Amino acid sequence: MSLINDDMQQLLLNFCDPETELLQKIDRETNLKVLMPRMLSGHYQGRVLSMLSKMVSPNRILEIGTFTGYATLCLAEGLTENGLIYTLDKNEELEEMVLNNFAQSTYNDKIKYILGDANETINALNETFDLVFIDADKKNNSTYYDLIFDRVRPGGLIIVDNVLWSGKVLNSNPDKDTKNITTFNDKALADRRVEKLILPVRDGLFVIRKK
C-alpha cells in the first residue's frame, strides 16, 4: 500500500517519534487476528495523524471508520483537556477488541465509540467538529463529506484516507473502486469552500481545510 520503497519508509520511521506500547500491541494483534490488517494506519501514518491533531488542538473530533482503534488513539493525542472523539463503525465483530484497546488507553474517557450505519449515526450527533477523519467504505467518501461539512467549524480539518489507492488513481481505465476514489478527489478539488492538498503518506491522505 505504501507508495515509497522500504528503505525510505524505514528512514521516515527513524525520524519520527516511536509508537507507544499500546499502539504496538494493537498493531501486532490486528495483524495476527483480524482480516485485512493493512487497513490499520500503522506507525508512520499514526504519527502524521497525531501531529495534525496536535496542531489543531481539537475539542471535538469525528472519525468515520474505527477498525481496531489505532488511528482513534493517535487522533486523541491532540484533544483539549475536555475534548472528545466520536468514532463510528459498523463492524460488531470487532467491538470487544476495540473496547479492550480503548480501555487500556489514558484517552478512554474521551472516546465515544458508536456502532451502526454512519449515514444514520452522523445525523444523531449534535456537535461542531474541529477535525474529521474519513476512513471507511470508500464508495461513500462523497456522502460522508457532504454529511459532515456543515458540522465542521471554519478552519477545521477534514482528512480522507486512501485517496491514492495504491497508485491506481493514475490508471487510464480504472475499475469501479478506483472511480469511487477519483470521483471524490475531483469533488474536493473543485470545492471552493476549502483549501486542500494530498500528502503521499502511505496510501494517500487528503488534507482539507474549511475556509
Side-chain angles (χ1 to χ4, degrees), residues 22-76:
L22 176 56
L23 290 175
Q24 290 177 352
K25 176 177 178 288
I26 293 172
D27 191 323
R28 182 171 60 253
E29 291 193 348
T30 300
N31 278 278
L32 288 173
K33 300 177 181 179
V34 181
L35 292 174
M36 298 184 69
R38 63 186 181 137
M39 292 170 58
L40 182 135
S41 289
H43 183 181
Y44 185 71
Q45 181 171 305
R47 292 304 87 207
V48 172
L49 294 174
S50 171
M51 181 70 76
L52 289 171
S53 182
K54 289 172 180 175
M55 292 171 74
V56 173
S57 192
N59 187 50
R60 292 293 184 270
I61 300 174
L62 174 63
E63 178 185 40
I64 305 173
T66 310
F67 195 43
T68 54
Y70 188 103
T72 314
L73 296 178
C74 294
L75 291 165

Side-chain angles (χ1 to χ4, degrees), residues 1 3 138 141 160-186 198-200 202-206:
M1 187 179 291
L3 299 169
K138 308 309 170 187
N141 278 350
V160 186
D161 199 9
N162 304 110
V163 296
L164 296 180
W165 208 232
S166 299
K168 294 179 183 178
V169 292
L170 295 174
N171 292 351
S172 58
N173 186 26
D175 58 27
K176 183 178 179 180
D177 290 339
T178 306
K179 285 181 180 178
N180 287 330
I181 299 291
T182 58
T183 295
F184 171 75
N185 292 350
D186 290 341
I198 293 177
L199 297 178
R202 200 159 175 262
D203 199 29
L205 287 176
F206 215 144

Side-chain angles (χ1 to χ4, degrees), residues 118-131:
N119 290 295
E120 299 174 3
T121 54
I122 289 171
N123 286 326
L125 299 176
N126 184 24
E127 295 279 12
T128 297
F129 295 100
D130 307 289
L131 191 159

Side-chain angles (χ1 to χ4, degrees), residues 154-158 193-197 207-211:
L157 293 185
I158 302 167
R193 301 171 298 174
V194 299
E195 302 167 275
K196 79 286 290 186
L197 58 80
V207 181
I208 301 165
R209 180 182 180 273
K210 186 174 179 180
K211 293 181 180 178

